[in-house]
Amino acid sequence: MTRPRWIVSAFIVWHLTCVVIAALPTDTWQPRETPATPVWVAFAGPFNALTRMMDGLTWAVTAPIVDFRRALDKAVGTPAGWYVGMTGLAQSWAMFSNPPQYDRYWRVRYYIEAPGGRPWMATELIGPSHREDQVRLFQSYRDSYRDKAFEIAFDGFVKRRKASAIEPGARPEDLPDDLAPIGRYFARHFAARLRDGERIIRTEIWVGTVANKKPGEPVDAAVAIERRAALLGYTEGPVEERLSVRPYPPYHGLETEGDIEWLLEYYEQS
Amino acid sequence: MTDSPPVASARPSWLARWEAYWFIEVPPHSVAALRIVFGAMALVSVAGLTPIDAFWSLDGLSPLPSNPNGPRSWLIDHGLAVWAGRAYFAYSAAAAAAMLVGYRSDLAVLATFLGLSLQTHWNRLPLSSAHQVVLVVLFCLIWTETGRVWSLDARRRSPPDQGNEGVAIWPLRLIRYQVALIYFSTALWKLLHPAWRDGSAVYWALNLNTFHRFPWTLPVAAEPIVAVLAWGTLLFELCFPALVWFRRTRTPTLILGLGLHLGLWLTLEIGPFSWVMIASYIAFLDPHRVARFGGRGAGLHRIEQPSASAAAAGH
């Protein structure tokens, strides 16, 4: 074998080792001891047996892989980390590994100070970016990037937020800034429609959740209609409230619309 | 993962087998096809990341700078947050377009890869697994000549390059290993979670309001089918590396994968992920067949034919 081929061979071995370390689940990845709970009503017998079988497969497959990855990591983990970091090959393929069992919504609320007039507020539904009661076709492709941005920002926010910060008097400086770009981006766009002299004095980000029905559960039509009515209120743009402006809610304050439970996750004041 | 026909011969040394496995020359059409398709994917991804001011400008939906002395802070402090974002967008679009048409192909692949890599540091918020797949495939394409055929570069050469000279197969093989690793890794992550083991994961995914393509509730009668799909997906992903290794099971595996990703695309809005994964299957196709598909089979006589040692390295 020629010298260049030896060099390329070494590179191939090194590269494959590094991407295996980067792609295989990390040390924190351990099989959960809890077996899956059978959820199916129809075909309960065979499906429950299959569930037990998958549990068994999990324990059998994961243990040797954890050991293998740990050994690789011990041998070359540090330089491999540098390599994948520098080349941009760090990779995680955990997509949909734990699909949420709830729907999520996003809204931004602005409090506006008007010169010599009453303050007023407006609430804008910003997520899902595409209306959930419509078929997703072309525009939804672009919208999917915005929804992804919300989710990644919120994941980072939740991870970095200290448990002690979740108390009614929490101030913005007590909270991580992961959601700040979302609030500022939409506030800037909303501010463009304000009249002269009006300015946004507070921006709040609310995250709404609704648990999805479990397999086999019937749909509660009345609840579904109530939620849809609540969301339809936002379809024409920000909902303005000029007559009765509510006092500022406490941090992590709760509001409900239909079956959506909204939590105040982040706010900024100016 | 070999493309050589089995030939009876004396058993070569492991070194010869290694050399034949990684360094045999194949027609350049497979890597050219990957350049075109992934150039298109990169371009479509860049187009999806619009409006520009939302995803490229540093005062858009982009993380606040963590380092007050870093380049992002500097750009913001100097009022360049918007213009830098626009310039970066233009660069990314131009690089992907050059890759697509094969204009200075090797440079275009490198430029697109660098642009996508930088995006992770510039604004990671809207980036999904599709971005990562494009990145890891482009990394492998950097090491080969992707513009030998089906490119403006080939047309500009005098006489035009017919792709009669081969390229080493190892970058193509690296892509195969990488794609197989993606499936295996994602299956391992899924095994961890009870929702995949009890078969309800696809049910939950189809019900997500930010992903479902059709706003209809799944009929209760269809739920058992969804359970079977969940287990089937998990097993397929877990077995993909093994199934795609052998010539006999490779084609059915790729067809199954095609069905899986088309099904995902039909039911869920997950950006370009389905198309990117389908595009990566080009790496698994026999490069000689890809060349014949491109109508250049007659000119392949000059490329080294699979040797006995190469064949022995396969299955």
Side-chain angles (χ1 to χ4, degrees):
Chain A
M1 200 153 71
T2 59
R3 194 173 170 182
R5 286 191 174 184
W6 276 109
I7 294 170
V8 173
S9 296
F11 169 71
I12 288 168
V13 172
W14 171 246
H15 174 79
L16 288 177
T17 307
C18 292
V19 293
V20 164
I21 292 177
L24 287 185
T26 55
D27 243 10
T28 54
W29 176 80
Q30 292 287 351
R32 303 248 168 96
E33 293 304 322
T34 321
T37 314
V39 293
W40 302 100
V41 179
F43 302 101
F47 279 13
N48 292 351
L50 262 170
T51 302
R52 296 282 83 84
M53 208 175 82
M54 294 304 292
D55 278 344
L57 177 74
T58 302
W59 315 144
V61 165
T62 52
I65 290 169
V66 166
D67 291 343
F68 172 69
R69 192 202 181 279
R70 194 172 290 149
L72 270 185
D73 205 26
K74 198 174 170 185
V76 290
T78 308
W82 293 337
Y83 174 76
V84 295
M86 279 166 53
T87 51
L89 298 178
Q91 44 196 288
S92 168
W93 307 110
M95 54 274 190
F96 283 108
S97 63
N98 188 19
Q101 300 181 8
Y102 49 81
D103 285 342
R104 186 171 270 167
Y105 301 88
W106 294 79
R107 69 181 192 186
V108 185
R109 179 170 288 162
Y110 317 102
Y111 294 80
I112 297 102
E113 185 183 69
R118 293 168 59 91
W120 56 283
M121 67 180 210
T123 309
E124 180 177 15
L125 186 76
I126 58 167
S129 303
H130 195 272
R131 276 180 60 171
E132 66 175 20
D133 59 342
Q134 292 182 346
V135 177
R136 290 185 158 89
L137 291 172
F138 300 106
Q139 177 59 34
S140 67
Y141 171 77
R142 282 175 68 199
D143 292 342
S144 68
Y145 287 94
R146 201 169 94 173
D147 288 332
K148 187 75 184 174
F150 294 164
E151 287 302 325
I152 291 185
F154 190 54
D155 282 351
F157 176 80
V158 170
K159 276 181 195 150
R160 294 208 298 143
R161 180 175 57 187
K162 291 176 185 154
S164 59
I166 307 177
E167 52 102 14
R171 294 166 304 170
E173 51 269 31
D174 300 328
L175 303 168
D177 60 14
D178 301 72
L179 296 178
I182 298 175
R184 292 176 194 177
Y185 175 78
F186 286 97
R188 198 165 59 247
H189 279 257
F190 181 76
R193 66 171 74 180
L194 296 179
R195 293 181 190 148
D196 283 348
E198 288 183 325
R199 70 182 190 98
I200 297 172
I201 52 172
R202 180 178 161 107
T203 306
E204 297 173 347
I205 295 181
W206 295 75
V207 178
T209 49
V210 182
N212 281 329
K213 75 175 189 71
K214 290 179 179 158
E217 275 183 7
V219 179
D220 188 332
V223 172
I225 289 170
E226 207 179 337
R227 191 198 311 184
R228 194 167 174 189
L231 294 172
L232 277 174
Y234 292 106
T235 52
E236 300 300 319
V239 177
E240 296 181 4
E241 291 177 65
R242 290 175 180 268
L243 292 178
S244 63
V245 177
R246 282 170 256 178
Y248 295 153
Y251 179 67
H252 235 232
L254 174 75
E255 285 185 11
T256 55
E257 277 182 309
D259 58 345
I260 304 174
E261 291 195 340
W262 293 102
L263 278 178
L264 173 59
E265 296 287 0
Y266 185 78
Y267 73 98
E268 283 187 339
Q269 295 189 137
S270 52
Chain B
M1 294 188 200
T2 179
D3 305 291
S4 318
V7 178
S9 76
R11 194 173 176 79
S13 70
W14 69 268
L15 195 61
R17 285 155 63 94
W18 171 274
E19 195 171 9
Y21 183 76
W22 289 105
F23 296 103
I24 188 174
E25 293 207 337
V26 291
H29 301 74
S30 288
V31 290
L34 282 164
R35 168 185 52 77
I36 293 167
V37 175
F38 276 84
M41 291 292 140
L43 202 54
V44 168
S45 297
V46 168
L49 287 168
T50 50
I52 298 170
D53 290 351
F55 297 112
W56 300 82
S57 171
L58 290 174
D59 59 359
L61 296 172
S62 165
L64 302 182
S66 52
N67 178 4
N69 299 317
R72 297 172 85 242
S73 299
W74 187 89
L75 288 168
I76 293 171
D77 292 345
H78 289 78
L80 296 170
V82 175
W83 284 103
R86 289 176 186 170
Y88 186 16
F89 173 84
Y91 163 83
S92 300
M99 198 176 140
L100 172 67
V101 299
Y103 176 72
R104 296 185 185 274
S105 306
D106 298 340
L107 184 64
V109 172
L110 180 64
T112 307
F113 172 78
L114 291 175
L116 291 176
S117 290
L118 179 62
Q119 219 171 352
T120 316
H121 304 285
W122 188 265
N123 184 8
R124 63 188 158 75
L125 294 185
L127 305 182
S128 64
S129 299
H131 174 87
Q132 194 63 49
V133 177
V134 175
L135 203 59
V136 295
V137 169
L138 289 193
F139 179 81
C140 301
L141 287 180
I142 286 173
W143 307 100
T144 187
E145 294 173 83
T146 60
R148 295 273 298 281
V149 290
W150 299 339
S151 66
L152 287 181
D153 293 342
R155 282 178 177 268
R156 284 163 60 211
R157 280 188 203 110
S158 183
D161 196 332
Q162 297 294 314
N164 295 340
E165 300 290 333
V167 292
I169 198 171
W170 66 267
L172 206 57
R173 290 213 192 276
L174 282 186
I175 296 175
R176 295 179 185 182
Y177 281 99
Q178 176 66 69
V179 173
L181 187 61
I182 291 172
Y183 281 109
F184 189 61
S185 173
T186 195
L188 292 178
W189 281 107
K190 284 170 179 162
L191 271 179
L192 253 194
H193 294 283
W196 281 96
R197 300 202 300 271
D198 67 27
S200 63
V202 171
Y203 169 86
W204 294 117
L206 289 176
N207 277 292
L208 285 172
N209 66 331
T210 45
F211 288 102
H212 62 60
R213 193 173 291 283
F214 301 103
W216 308 314
T217 310
L218 202 66
V220 174
E223 289 175 2
I225 300 169
V226 172
V228 172
L229 284 175
W231 285 313
T233 302
L234 187 53
L235 285 177
F236 171 79
E237 291 179 338
L238 201 59
C239 299
F240 183 89
L243 293 173
V244 86
W245 180 273
F246 299 104
R247 187 196 311 275
R248 200 167 284 179
T249 49
R250 190 178 302 158
T251 303
T253 305
L254 295 181
I255 291 170
L256 266 177
L258 189 69
L260 168 72
H261 290 295
L262 286 178
L264 273 174
W265 175 77
L266 272 173
T267 51
L268 296 171
E269 177 52 84
I270 48 175
F273 182 74
S274 298
W275 298 111
V276 166
M277 288 308 293
I278 290 170
S280 73
Y281 286 6
I282 292 171
F284 291 97
L285 304 178
D286 180 349
H288 293 273
R289 284 198 179 175
V290 175
R292 281 197 292 274
F293 176 78
R296 294 289 185 272
L300 296 178
H301 60 279
R302 290 177 61 192
I303 297 176
E304 183 185 342
Q305 287 303 302
S307 64
S309 55
H315 298 265

